[in-house]
Amino acid sequence: MGWKYTLTELAEAVGAAAPGVEATFDGVSIDSRTLHPGQVFFALSGENFDGNRFVADALAKGAVAAVAQAAGERCIVVDDPLKALQNFAAHHRRRHPIPVFALTGSCGKTSVKDLTAAVLGSRMHVVKTLGNFNNDIGCPLSLLRIDGDTEMAVIEMGANHMGEIAALCKIARPNESAITLVAPAHLEGFGSIENVAKAKGEIVEGLEAGGTFYVNTNDAWCVRLGEAFEGNKVYFGSRGDVVLEDCTFDADGEMRLRISPIGELRLPLHSRAHANNVLLAVAVGLRHGITEFEAPLREACLRTTRFKVFELGSLTVIDDTYNANPASVAAALETLASRPGNGGRIAALGDMLELGDAGPGLHAGLGELAGQLGIGSVYTYGPLSRHTVDAARAGGVRDARAFDEHKAIAEAIRAEATPGDTLLVKGSRGMKMETVIEELRKLI
């Protein structure tokens, strides 16, 4: 169905003077390279780019107008184009009073967003955050995808500083929200796990009147935040309204879950940590009258680019290279250790970033865990992960080594791995640990 606004309406929404011409537009763009005729260009700027430089290019490519800091033909002039984008998205949200489900958490946000949107999408027209575009730019752009056909939106919210989620909630005005879990992540910005919990809790405080909070009963911080919330609550986890009664893996490596009150599900998931993501998606679906879960959940699992398991020569590879923090790496190591088969277990780990002063200790803790789980080999990339190596050696890991290049890790894996071994590759996005897999493909 789409939507249309006039430039005068846009100017009023962002608190600016109307341009000298009147016209309608049907979309927004922040990138002149991908702009479509009929859209308005928002000239965002950052540390390494100045959107104002591309206004002329955007107009030449068919932009109806530009929202920019500099005056010019068909320009709506503002002090801050990003703030203008957010104000316009907030205005658009007010014009579409549909339910919005917002979620955050230290791990699993994108997975839960995709699973939940798939479940809801089996019965209604759903708009969701694209990819993990969950920041102060991505959130307003996601909300601007809502149109007259949309019946519900699933919006992911990320943050690395206090107040970010609160600001996003003022734009999105969620009716429902959830926190996947609270764990040490972005400690460089938050300073402590207590502050992480406080920041995630902003998504509860940001609920509209009469809103609903989905409480993860497996996470003490989430339970605490739920106890402080006086609105509607749905509990999921080890107890509550949606409960995981059993979780096993069949001969094909697929996860079998028995969930109260819906019964059994069989899904192409490989880590027990993902079970709670499924529970949350089921909890949201049940609240909105969904009765069939396996088909939409299976489809969403098969489409994901996260936590892929595949064969590379005689090696089974767990590709979990998208990102990392202590909780997600611990879960991945536990998955590696519990994989079926008698082959060896190899972990190729990159640094976990943005952990501040806690970084060395948290990296060492993962080395200790690798020893406790019986991981045979730990190969690392990055200065912080040298603490992982030292702790792994002390914890009894047979082969623990630090490397300065991705290629060198791949060569070590090629030299040491034997048929039937399983390899986990994981690290923060900035460590580009997928390069290890790319280099390994060249060797096998």
Side-chain angles (χ1 to χ4, degrees), residues 261-312:
I262 67 167
E264 293 192 0
L265 296 176
R266 182 174 181 266
L267 299 171
L269 294 171
H270 307 282
S271 171
R272 293 182 188 278
H274 294 156
N276 239 40
N277 298 341
V278 174
L279 293 184
L280 177 48
V282 168
V284 179
L286 286 172
R287 188 162 182 83
H288 289 274
I290 308 297
T291 57
E292 169 57 37
F293 292 93
E294 185 161 321
L297 287 171
R298 172 170 287 274
E299 184 180 354
C301 291
L302 292 173
R303 285 201 308 263
T304 186
T305 58
R306 312 289 177 89
F307 212 93
K308 288 289 188 181
V309 180
F310 56 90
E311 303 300 317
L312 188 58

Side-chain angles (χ1 to χ4, degrees), residues 224-268:
R224 204 171 302 176
L225 290 166
E227 290 171 346
F229 178 60
E230 296 181 354
N232 302 312
K233 285 173 275 197
V234 175
Y235 295 89
F236 68 96
S238 57
R239 59 181 175 82
D241 303 286
V242 180
V243 177
L244 180 65
E245 297 179 330
D246 192 32
C247 178
T248 59
F249 293 90
D250 63 20
D252 296 323
E254 292 204 332
M255 184 183 289
R256 288 185 175 273
L257 306 99
R258 189 169 73 248
I259 299 172
S260 173
I262 67 167
E264 293 192 0
L265 296 176
R266 182 174 181 266
L267 299 171

Side-chain angles (χ1 to χ4, degrees), residues 1 80 139 148 172 176 210 223 233 235 277 290 328 363 393 400 433:
M1 181 176 179
D80 185 348
C139 179
E176 305 174 27
V223 171
K233 285 173 275 197
Y235 295 89
N277 298 341
I290 308 297
S328 67
H363 281 81
R393 287 174 179 164
M433 292 301 288

Side-chain angles (χ1 to χ4, degrees), residues 297-358:
L297 287 171
R298 172 170 287 274
E299 184 180 354
C301 291
L302 292 173
R303 285 201 308 263
T304 186
T305 58
R306 312 289 177 89
F307 212 93
K308 288 289 188 181
V309 180
F310 56 90
E311 303 300 317
L312 188 58
S314 61
L315 196 64
T316 297
V317 178
I318 301 173
D319 178 357
D320 196 20
T321 56
Y322 172 72
N323 214 339
N325 62 38
S328 67
V329 178
L333 287 171
E334 290 167 358
T335 298
L336 173 65
S338 64
R339 290 284 299 175
N342 298 318
R345 301 292 187 265
I346 305 166
L349 305 175
D351 282 2
M352 302 175 293
L353 305 179
E354 298 184 50
L355 293 177
D357 293 340

Side-chain angles (χ1 to χ4, degrees), residues 5 15 79 94 98 100 123 144 159 197 207 236 278 316 348 364 399 436:
Y5 286 94
D79 292 332
R94 287 192 294 272
I98 61 168
V100 169
R123 286 274 301 275
L144 287 169
L207 283 169
F236 68 96
V278 174
T316 297
D399 183 12
V436 172

Side-chain angles (χ1 to χ4, degrees), residues 25-381:
F25 65 101
D26 58 8
V28 302
S29 172
I30 62 170
D31 189 338
S32 62
R33 296 167 298 180
T34 57
L35 181 143
H36 298 294
Q39 294 181 327
V40 164
F41 176 65
F42 281 76
L44 306 190
S45 298
E47 291 183 7
N48 302 312
F49 63 94
D50 180 5
N52 294 285
R53 293 174 49 207
F54 302 100
V55 168
D57 184 43
L59 294 174
K61 289 183 176 178
V64 173
V67 177
Q69 290 174 305
E73 182 185 1
R74 287 186 285 154
C75 284
I76 296 174
V77 182
V78 297
D79 292 332
D80 185 348
L82 174 55
K83 184 63 176 176
L85 176 66
Q86 294 168 346
N87 287 340
F88 179 51
H91 171 78
H92 183 70
R93 164 68 176 120
R94 287 192 294 272
R95 283 196 28 177
H96 293 83
I98 61 168
V100 169
F101 170 65
L103 71 149
T104 190
S106 300
C107 303
K109 294 184 294 295
T110 301
S111 295
V112 171
K113 177 259 299 180
D114 289 335
L115 293 173
T116 303
V119 167
L120 295 171
S122 66
R123 286 274 301 275
M124 62 181 79
H125 189 278
V126 175
V127 162
K128 67 174 182 175
T129 300
L130 294 178
N132 71 323
F133 210 22
N134 59 22
N135 61 7
D136 56 354
I137 299 172
C139 179
L141 288 176
S142 297
L143 292 168
L144 287 169
R145 296 179 58 237
I146 295 171
D147 64 18
D149 291 331
T150 308
E151 297 171 90
M152 189 163 180
V154 179
I155 303 296
E156 179 182 340
M157 296 180 178
N160 55 22
H161 290 86
M162 302 295 290
E164 289 183 86
I165 291 175
L168 297 180
C169 285
K170 288 181 180 178
I171 301 169
R173 297 169 59 201
N175 313 93
E176 305 174 27
S177 69
I179 302 169
T180 57
L181 58 83
V182 175
H186 301 296
L187 291 181
E188 204 166 62
F190 290 123
S192 67
I193 185 67
E194 289 80 9
N195 282 343
V196 173
K198 185 176 180 181
K200 302 303 181 188
E202 291 169 6
I203 207 166
V204 188
E205 297 168 1
L207 283 169
E208 292 286 281
T212 299
F213 177 50
Y214 296 83
V215 184
N216 177 7
T217 58
N218 292 330
D219 185 279
W221 290 106
C222 291
V223 171
R224 204 171 302 176
L225 290 166
E227 290 171 346
F229 178 60
E230 296 181 354
N232 302 312
K233 285 173 275 197
V234 175
Y235 295 89
F236 68 96
S238 57
R239 59 181 175 82
D241 303 286
V242 180
V243 177
L244 180 65
E245 297 179 330
D246 192 32
C247 178
T248 59
F249 293 90
D250 63 20
D252 296 323
E254 292 204 332
M255 184 183 289
R256 288 185 175 273
L257 306 99
R258 189 169 73 248
I259 299 172
S260 173
I262 67 167
E264 293 192 0
L265 296 176
R266 182 174 181 266
L267 299 171
L269 294 171
H270 307 282
S271 171
R272 293 182 188 278
H274 294 156
N276 239 40
N277 298 341
V278 174
L279 293 184
L280 177 48
V282 168
V284 179
L286 286 172
R287 188 162 182 83
H288 289 274
I290 308 297
T291 57
E292 169 57 37
F293 292 93
E294 185 161 321
L297 287 171
R298 172 170 287 274
E299 184 180 354
C301 291
L302 292 173
R303 285 201 308 263
T304 186
T305 58
R306 312 289 177 89
F307 212 93
K308 288 289 188 181
V309 180
F310 56 90
E311 303 300 317
L312 188 58
S314 61
L315 196 64
T316 297
V317 178
I318 301 173
D319 178 357
D320 196 20
T321 56
Y322 172 72
N323 214 339
N325 62 38
S328 67
V329 178
L333 287 171
E334 290 167 358
T335 298
L336 173 65
S338 64
R339 290 284 299 175
N342 298 318
R345 301 292 187 265
I346 305 166
L349 305 175
D351 282 2
M352 302 175 293
L353 305 179
E354 298 184 50
L355 293 177
D357 293 340
L362 290 169
H363 281 81
L366 293 176
E368 295 172 6
L369 178 61
Q372 295 166 7
L373 293 172
I375 306 299
S377 303
V378 174
Y379 303 142
T380 70
Y381 174 67

